[in-house]
Amino acid sequence: MLILDLVGVPDEEIVKDYALTRVGIEPVREMMAERFAPFLLDPEIAEATVSALSCTPSYMRATLKMLREEYGGAAGYLKDRLGFSPDDVAKIVENLSAKEA
């Protein structure tokens, strides 16, 4: 999601891509839920975990909204939260956007 946002993919395309995660996670979803079970005693954590494992579009929309509101998008998150420099972010975008000759 961060990479897609960083290179300017529209939100609804990111949401569609995230929804496809459900296909890949389905075979291990029950096992993951069992592994998280000790942490799910707190209702808020349980609800967030179930939402994350269900890969619903609304969950990704909410994540993108929070990313924009708190950091201005993926670039801001990479810089402000993860410590990337502006040059680092620019280089990542350049490398991801490069066209083969």
Side-chain angles (χ1 to χ4, degrees):
M1 175 269 295
L2 290 174
I3 295 295
L4 296 175
D5 184 63
L6 196 61
V7 298
V9 173
D11 284 3
E12 282 307 306
E13 291 301 314
I14 295 172
V15 169
K16 287 178 190 175
D17 181 72
Y18 179 69
L20 291 174
T21 303
R22 177 70 186 246
V23 175
I25 204 172
E26 195 58 38
V28 295
R29 187 168 177 238
E30 187 174 320
M31 180 271 303
M32 290 177 70
E34 288 173 14
R35 287 187 100 173
F36 284 112
F39 306 105
L40 302 182
L41 300 176
D42 180 327
E44 283 186 34
I45 294 173
E47 183 179 343
T49 302
V50 169
S51 292
L53 292 175
S54 66
C55 305
T56 59
S58 62
Y59 186 78
M60 180 51 66
R61 284 187 193 99
T63 301
L64 289 166
K65 182 179 182 207
M66 180 277 304
L67 186 70
R68 305 250 188 289
E69 289 175 356
E70 291 190 26
Y71 302 101
Y77 179 81
L78 291 174
K79 291 184 273 188
D80 299 342
R81 186 74 176 173
L82 301 181
F84 284 76
S85 73
D87 288 342
D88 292 336
V89 174
K91 189 65 172 174
I92 292 168
V93 172
E94 178 185 328
N95 288 336
L96 291 171
S97 302
K99 304 278 189 238
E100 287 190 34

